[in-house]
PDB file of all heavy atoms in Angstrom:
ATOM      1  N   ASN A 230      -9.307 -10.547 -11.669  1.00  0.00           N
ATOM      2  CA  ASN A 230     -10.578  -9.867 -11.886  1.00  0.00           C
ATOM      3  C   ASN A 230     -10.273  -8.373 -12.006  1.00  0.00           C
ATOM      4  O   ASN A 230      -9.867  -7.743 -11.030  1.00  0.00           O
ATOM      5  CB  ASN A 230     -11.528 -10.123 -10.710  1.00  0.00           C
ATOM      6  CG  ASN A 230     -12.892  -9.453 -10.904  1.00  0.00           C
ATOM      7  OD1 ASN A 230     -13.092  -8.657 -11.834  1.00  0.00           O
ATOM      8  ND2 ASN A 230     -13.825  -9.762 -10.031  1.00  0.00           N
ATOM      9  N   GLU A 231     -10.475  -7.818 -13.186  1.00  0.00           N
ATOM     10  CA  GLU A 231     -10.147  -6.408 -13.414  1.00  0.00           C
ATOM     11  C   GLU A 231     -11.396  -5.551 -13.582  1.00  0.00           C
ATOM     12  O   GLU A 231     -11.340  -4.451 -14.125  1.00  0.00           O
ATOM     13  CB  GLU A 231      -9.229  -6.296 -14.635  1.00  0.00           C
ATOM     14  CG  GLU A 231      -7.944  -7.069 -14.442  1.00  0.00           C
ATOM     15  CD  GLU A 231      -6.875  -6.762 -15.470  1.00  0.00           C
ATOM     16  OE1 GLU A 231      -6.898  -5.657 -16.042  1.00  0.00           O
ATOM     17  OE2 GLU A 231      -5.989  -7.636 -15.691  1.00  0.00           O
ATOM     18  N   GLN A 232     -12.524  -6.050 -13.063  1.00  0.00           N
ATOM     19  CA  GLN A 232     -13.783  -5.302 -13.125  1.00  0.00           C
ATOM     20  C   GLN A 232     -13.790  -4.216 -12.034  1.00  0.00           C
ATOM     21  O   GLN A 232     -13.773  -4.529 -10.852  1.00  0.00           O
ATOM     22  CB  GLN A 232     -14.949  -6.267 -12.926  1.00  0.00           C
ATOM     23  CG  GLN A 232     -16.307  -5.603 -12.902  1.00  0.00           C
ATOM     24  CD  GLN A 232     -16.580  -4.822 -14.161  1.00  0.00           C
ATOM     25  OE1 GLN A 232     -16.518  -3.579 -14.160  1.00  0.00           O
ATOM     26  NE2 GLN A 232     -16.897  -5.534 -15.242  1.00  0.00           N
ATOM     27  N   LEU A 233     -13.829  -2.968 -12.456  1.00  0.00           N
ATOM     28  CA  LEU A 233     -13.800  -1.863 -11.490  1.00  0.00           C
ATOM     29  C   LEU A 233     -15.180  -1.365 -11.096  1.00  0.00           C
ATOM     30  O   LEU A 233     -15.326  -0.491 -10.236  1.00  0.00           O
ATOM     31  CB  LEU A 233     -12.979  -0.691 -12.061  1.00  0.00           C
ATOM     32  CG  LEU A 233     -11.459  -0.936 -12.131  1.00  0.00           C
ATOM     33  CD1 LEU A 233     -10.758   0.191 -12.852  1.00  0.00           C
ATOM     34  CD2 LEU A 233     -10.886  -1.112 -10.728  1.00  0.00           C
ATOM     35  N   GLU A 234     -16.202  -1.926 -11.705  1.00  0.00           N
ATOM     36  CA  GLU A 234     -17.561  -1.529 -11.341  1.00  0.00           C
ATOM     37  C   GLU A 234     -17.885  -2.036  -9.935  1.00  0.00           C
ATOM     38  O   GLU A 234     -17.540  -3.159  -9.565  1.00  0.00           O
ATOM     39  CB  GLU A 234     -18.562  -2.112 -12.347  1.00  0.00           C
ATOM     40  CG  GLU A 234     -19.998  -1.679 -12.121  1.00  0.00           C
ATOM     41  CD  GLU A 234     -20.946  -2.216 -13.181  1.00  0.00           C
ATOM     42  OE1 GLU A 234     -20.449  -2.639 -14.242  1.00  0.00           O
ATOM     43  OE2 GLU A 234     -22.151  -2.200 -12.942  1.00  0.00           O
ATOM     44  N   ILE A 235     -18.553  -1.192  -9.144  1.00  0.00           N
ATOM     45  CA  ILE A 235     -18.896  -1.562  -7.777  1.00  0.00           C
ATOM     46  C   ILE A 235     -19.957  -2.664  -7.766  1.00  0.00           C
ATOM     47  O   ILE A 235     -20.941  -2.601  -8.500  1.00  0.00           O
ATOM     48  CB  ILE A 235     -19.420  -0.335  -7.000  1.00  0.00           C
ATOM     49  CG1 ILE A 235     -18.342   0.759  -6.937  1.00  0.00           C
ATOM     50  CG2 ILE A 235     -19.870  -0.726  -5.594  1.00  0.00           C
ATOM     51  CD1 ILE A 235     -17.048   0.336  -6.289  1.00  0.00           C
ATOM     52  N   ASP A 236     -19.754  -3.660  -6.910  1.00  0.00           N
ATOM     53  CA  ASP A 236     -20.694  -4.761  -6.749  1.00  0.00           C
ATOM     54  C   ASP A 236     -21.507  -4.512  -5.472  1.00  0.00           C
ATOM     55  O   ASP A 236     -20.992  -4.682  -4.366  1.00  0.00           O
ATOM     56  CB  ASP A 236     -19.931  -6.086  -6.643  1.00  0.00           C
ATOM     57  CG  ASP A 236     -20.860  -7.284  -6.495  1.00  0.00           C
ATOM     58  OD1 ASP A 236     -22.068  -7.085  -6.264  1.00  0.00           O
ATOM     59  OD2 ASP A 236     -20.371  -8.431  -6.606  1.00  0.00           O
ATOM     60  N   PRO A 237     -22.785  -4.086  -5.587  1.00  0.00           N
ATOM     61  CA  PRO A 237     -23.587  -3.787  -4.389  1.00  0.00           C
ATOM     62  C   PRO A 237     -23.731  -4.981  -3.451  1.00  0.00           C
ATOM     63  O   PRO A 237     -23.759  -4.805  -2.222  1.00  0.00           O
ATOM     64  CB  PRO A 237     -24.942  -3.372  -4.975  1.00  0.00           C
ATOM     65  CG  PRO A 237     -24.647  -2.948  -6.383  1.00  0.00           C
ATOM     66  CD  PRO A 237     -23.525  -3.831  -6.829  1.00  0.00           C
ATOM     67  N   ALA A 238     -23.826  -6.189  -4.000  1.00  0.00           N
ATOM     68  CA  ALA A 238     -23.950  -7.362  -3.154  1.00  0.00           C
ATOM     69  C   ALA A 238     -22.690  -7.556  -2.318  1.00  0.00           C
ATOM     70  O   ALA A 238     -22.744  -7.948  -1.141  1.00  0.00           O
ATOM     71  CB  ALA A 238     -24.219  -8.601  -4.009  1.00  0.00           C
ATOM     72  N   GLU A 239     -21.525  -7.260  -2.910  1.00  0.00           N
ATOM     73  CA  GLU A 239     -20.271  -7.388  -2.186  1.00  0.00           C
ATOM     74  C   GLU A 239     -20.189  -6.349  -1.078  1.00  0.00           C
ATOM     75  O   GLU A 239     -19.649  -6.613   0.007  1.00  0.00           O
ATOM     76  CB  GLU A 239     -19.086  -7.251  -3.138  1.00  0.00           C
ATOM     77  CG  GLU A 239     -17.748  -7.577  -2.531  1.00  0.00           C
ATOM     78  CD  GLU A 239     -17.651  -9.001  -2.013  1.00  0.00           C
ATOM     79  OE1 GLU A 239     -17.843  -9.922  -2.829  1.00  0.00           O
ATOM     80  OE2 GLU A 239     -17.413  -9.178  -0.807  1.00  0.00           O
ATOM     81  N   THR A 240     -20.720  -5.167  -1.328  1.00  0.00           N
ATOM     82  CA  THR A 240     -20.739  -4.129  -0.298  1.00  0.00           C
ATOM     83  C   THR A 240     -21.453  -4.632   0.950  1.00  0.00           C
ATOM     84  O   THR A 240     -20.945  -4.492   2.077  1.00  0.00           O
ATOM     85  CB  THR A 240     -21.443  -2.862  -0.824  1.00  0.00           C
ATOM     86  OG1 THR A 240     -20.696  -2.336  -1.931  1.00  0.00           O
ATOM     87  CG2 THR A 240     -21.547  -1.795   0.257  1.00  0.00           C
ATOM     88  N   GLN A 241     -22.609  -5.236   0.775  1.00  0.00           N
ATOM     89  CA  GLN A 241     -23.366  -5.754   1.919  1.00  0.00           C
ATOM     90  C   GLN A 241     -22.654  -6.937   2.572  1.00  0.00           C
ATOM     91  O   GLN A 241     -22.676  -7.073   3.801  1.00  0.00           O
ATOM     92  CB  GLN A 241     -24.780  -6.169   1.458  1.00  0.00           C
ATOM     93  CG  GLN A 241     -25.622  -4.992   0.969  1.00  0.00           C
ATOM     94  CD  GLN A 241     -25.684  -3.862   1.990  1.00  0.00           C
ATOM     95  OE1 GLN A 241     -25.948  -4.102   3.184  1.00  0.00           O
ATOM     96  NE2 GLN A 241     -25.425  -2.643   1.545  1.00  0.00           N
ATOM     97  N   ALA A 242     -21.996  -7.760   1.770  1.00  0.00           N
ATOM     98  CA  ALA A 242     -21.256  -8.891   2.325  1.00  0.00           C
ATOM     99  C   ALA A 242     -20.087  -8.420   3.176  1.00  0.00           C
ATOM    100  O   ALA A 242     -19.802  -8.989   4.242  1.00  0.00           O
ATOM    101  CB  ALA A 242     -20.763  -9.797   1.192  1.00  0.00           C
ATOM    102  N   ILE A 243     -19.410  -7.379   2.737  1.00  0.00           N
ATOM    103  CA  ILE A 243     -18.301  -6.801   3.505  1.00  0.00           C
ATOM    104  C   ILE A 243     -18.801  -6.304   4.856  1.00  0.00           C
ATOM    105  O   ILE A 243     -18.194  -6.556   5.903  1.00  0.00           O
ATOM    106  CB  ILE A 243     -17.624  -5.662   2.717  1.00  0.00           C
ATOM    107  CG1 ILE A 243     -16.824  -6.230   1.530  1.00  0.00           C
ATOM    108  CG2 ILE A 243     -16.724  -4.818   3.619  1.00  0.00           C
ATOM    109  CD1 ILE A 243     -16.353  -5.182   0.548  1.00  0.00           C
TER     110      ILE A 243
END
Side-chain angles (χ1 to χ4, degrees):
N230 181 351
E231 301 192 25
Q232 177 58 256
L233 288 173
E234 184 177 343
I235 299 302
D236 181 349
E239 189 60 59
T240 297
Q241 295 307 312
I243 289 169

